[in-house]
Amino acid sequence: QEQLVESGGDQVQPGGSLRLSCTVSGLTIDDYSLGWFRQAPGKEREGVSCISWTDRVYYAASVAGRFTISRDNAKNTLYLQMDNLQPEDTGMYYCASDTTALYYDENELCHPAGHPQYYWGQGTQVTVSS
């Protein structure tokens, strides 16, 4: 059974950095697009950054230049390096995987229509506050 487990969330001050990890089991990630989504209190979940099986990447405008997504297929793990964090980055961060190999690209994964049928992690909390 597919399982995604996030880690690395914490509380940091503005300008700080965090590195989120998402370890995947039950699925070999090599041929799947993966992504990070976040949900702030009172807001809808949004795609923050996604990476295709060919390592093409997408970043939301609000995080471009500050966040870096990467994947280590040998470790079956997805990462999100977050630098210069700001209070508006606060939220629950979720890892997601496409359920079909070689299907959604990085843009499609991060901009799903309706309720996407992804594999989801349980989330890790990021709080940016002074």
Side-chain angles (χ1 to χ4, degrees):
Q1 183 174 356
E2 298 77 11
Q3 188 174 15
L4 286 68
V5 179
E6 303 96 334
S7 61
D10 204 344
Q11 180 171 345
V12 297
Q13 293 186 343
S17 296
L18 286 173
R19 188 193 195 202
L20 305 184
S21 298
C22 173
T23 301
V24 181
S25 59
L27 175 71
T28 302
I29 67 171
D30 302 46
D31 293 334
Y32 291 81
S33 289
L34 306 169
W36 291 97
F37 293 73
R38 71 183 177 192
Q39 187 164 20
K43 294 186 177 181
E44 293 188 355
R45 186 165 54 191
E46 62 171 342
V48 173
S49 181
C50 293
I51 184 168
S52 73
W53 65 89
T54 58
D55 290 340
R56 293 192 308 266
V57 298
Y58 161 84
Y59 294 102
S62 59
V63 306
R66 300 187 296 121
F67 289 12
T68 304
I69 191 171
S70 62
R71 60 194 294 162
D72 186 334
N73 291 343
K75 295 182 178 180
N76 235 36
T77 301
L78 176 71
Y79 302 100
L80 186 67
Q81 177 67 39
M82 306 187 294
D83 298 318
N84 191 21
L85 283 160
Q86 300 300 315
E88 53 267 32
D89 295 318
T90 294
M92 185 69 78
Y93 282 69
Y94 298 91
C95 171
S97 170
D98 195 357
T99 59
T100 302
L102 310 178
Y103 193 61
Y104 286 135
D105 67 20
E106 70 282 6
N107 285 293
E108 292 167 330
L109 192 79
C110 263
H111 297 93
H115 299 284
Q117 297 298 314
Y118 297 160
Y119 298 127
W120 294 96
Q122 82 290 347
T124 186
Q125 178 67 37
V126 173
T127 303
V128 186
S129 174
S130 55

